[in-house]
Amino acid sequence: MEFKNFLSKTKDGNDFATAYQEANSRKTSAEIINEARLAIKESQNIETNFASAAIKPLQTQRPFTPRDKERLLFGNKKPKADRPPSSFSLRYLQNETDLPVTPPDNRIFTTHVSKHPSTPKIDELKKYNRSNSLTELNGNIFNIGVKEPCKIRLPSLDNKPLQKRKIFNNTTSLDNLPEETEYKIDNPKLESRNAFSSPQEKTIFDQQPAFGRSSARQANLSECLLLGPQNLTKIFDNRHIIEHSETLFTSTGYLTKQLLLHKQNDLNKRTHSILADGNEPVRTIDDILNDLNRTDPQNYNDETVKNLLEELYAFMEKEGMLNSKISSKLKIVILKSLYRFVESKNEQILINIAQIILVMKVTGNNLSGVCKLIFKIAKNDVNDNLFFRRNLLELFLDALGRSSPMDDAEACVYAYGALKFLTMNVKLLEKVLDLGILPLMVLHIKLINTAKIDKTPFHKQTDHVLFQLTGALRNLVSDEHVYDNFIFCGTIPQLCQALELFQNDADITANISRTLSTVSTNEVCCDSLVEIDTIYKTFIKLFNLYEENDEIIVRLAYTLGNIVAKIDDSRVKLFKEEKSIDCLLTLWTTYLERTLQLCSLKVENVSISNSSSEDVMIKVIRVIANIVINPDIGKAINEQYGSKLIDEFLKVLISNPFKKNQELVLSILSTLNNLSYYYSSDLELDVFHVKQIDIAEGIIEYTKSKSNDCIVETMRILGNLSRSKITRNYIAETDIFGNLVNLLTTAEPTLLKTTIGVFVNLMSDNRARKLFKSCGGVSKLISLLTKYCENDWLLGSLICQVLWNYCIDTVDLYELLTEEEIHQLLILLADYLDEEKLFGVDDSTEEMEVFVTQEYLIWEEFANVATNLLEKIEYFLDTFDQIQISVEDPAALQPSTRESGTNISFSAW
């Protein structure tokens, strides 16, 4: 008979157990048993199948990404001109032009109105503005920083559309309020601030034209606007103020003086010391900030500053100032005090500063500054423990959640950069996941994708946001528990869309490919990937675009290999994608040639490492190995690409540089096995029929490989090719036959089954039978039958089939078997066919459960072959005398000439 490794139809080897349970109650017992038998035939998996699955998914290791020892924003790659720096100084925060000068007397809430305040010139304001700031000064009107691009414009006081009025040089975003962006006046004579934040206070200006010409109306308008954008609503909602609008646009007035006095008294009440228990005065926020301001930022005691910062946070917490609206004036003064220490080398001080700034819910440049500060701390893994303190991570993620990747790009770059570093710590990773960071990250990816699709202009740094975001996301998916939430949040569709939209950005593509290669090991994630119709086209484009980038190619190929390994529909879609197979073959050829070139180079007599190139070859060939599991695709690829594939594979198998790479060799052998499964010896035009000797010559040395896996795959290929008499003759004429006989002494079950499967086909030829007898093959099979059969009926089935083919054409068994071997077979077979002894089954047994157990059904397959063999031996012994007569008179008994092909075929089992 012919031996062929057959494809397992089902994934679950226990499907047979449900066959009779799901049967209709009207079916007879015989019908139910037959259905159970059919189920078990279709459920032989790789571990239990007598011949092992001939064609199966090829597995490989996930590409390894070494973790950088140093935490860098963009890694160790050559920096680009437009990339934000990984190392920077925060000293600029100490001299921000949008921060006010602390009053000379250091009294936080004491307000003094100068009769003759000085208005700084525009040139002076620009002098203090940072060149790399996202804000611009609008000196003509607001004297504050303007954030670009603005999101909300201030309402027009004269009911004209704001966009048509030309009295503003810039517009202002409500994310960048005057209280947070006021300028610092470099004037030693100035003793107090000249701008106030509430509608009860006014600033007296010199009588200078605000817009280049004298206009009392415009001056009054400027004075009104200096009250602060957030107070304009209060002005228009207050009927009393509207009724006295004449005084609203005057320099001074009775109403203004009364409001100033009322405000002053209120502030004094808040800042005066109060008595605790009637004894000692309690320190106020004034006292704490004064102590901080009196501290020399160039020479101070770390412990003292740290204690003051902790005291400040504790005071804010006690007074209910956390997570609530803090006076803009107080916010600015606190920031000014904190920024004096942002260049500290003490991480404890920096983390305290960051926590206080975050709790004030800052925006604009202040938000960018605190994100940079957190990034600076997170760069050193020694500081990871600092992020476990109280609610620091909650505040940080809240700030990130209030940021826009388009409008707050700089802040998001450093925030996600810090998050990327922090998620390298397993405990911090768990914490940020518990805080719900994943939905926020997906939302930000979606916002960026939408802006890209809508062609909405955004800053170049938004691309860097996506890079840092996807880098942090890669760390998140290292925890397998996140996969369900990963799918629920719709992460995969957004990632694939970003992969398509930003395909020209190698950094983003590399990050996303890392994430997809990780999650593709999960079946549910694979299902989600398959649902994206454009995924195959995107992958093919990226293969062509990044042909020389092995880091991207190896991960995309690994992901694609996982998809087609698990889902048959994905194999069809990929095969139908235009030039998909051509693209894979081009990649294979490119990296094969690169590897050969690297191997030919010598540096100080040491070969250059080519492991990355070989890894790409492994991942690419795995895609082909898994796609041909589909029978139609397998046959089509054999017809269209078979000759080229075989030539490429043999080139590797016979090349010394590749022989040491066991995984590469194993991948090629597995792919050859899957392709040769479709070989038909009846078709002389079949590519495997034409090249069968070339293949046999190429794999002969792997029958003696040190790797059992390589030997198993080689045996499977020989099992497919040995259906041809040409291959059987070649095996008999070479050392392969002796190697096969030697493998019968192994104890590895899968290797035994595949090797014995080759002998099933070889025993079709008399020449092979004689060699088998001379090598002591029969005694080795009987020894295996004695050792393993009762615990492995599938192996027993194969052994009996070899022996049946071995002696099927002979009349005198003594020509092939010794008397002792015949005696041993009689005893063993009779013992193994005893149903009552093995299962307690006799003629009166009616329990259907016995007949549908897995062990019984597998044994029954063994019994079919073993019974034929036992009957032949018994028949030979019963007619031995007649056989002796036939020796003297050959015409007395005609020998059987039945071909082995008429015997029981495995395909019918």
Side-chain angles (χ1 to χ4, degrees), residues 205-223:
F205 282 80
D206 291 335
Q207 299 301 319
Q208 298 179 358
F211 305 99
R213 56 191 177 92
S214 178
S215 172
R217 177 67 176 177
Q218 291 174 354
N220 290 336
L221 176 61
S222 299
E223 294 172 292

Side-chain angles (χ1 to χ4, degrees), residues 234-245 247 255 259:
K234 296 180 181 179
I235 292 175
F236 294 114
D237 289 343
N238 193 311
R239 181 178 179 183
H240 178 74
I241 294 178
I242 297 299
E243 291 174 354
H244 296 81
S245 58
T247 61
L255 177 62
L259 293 175

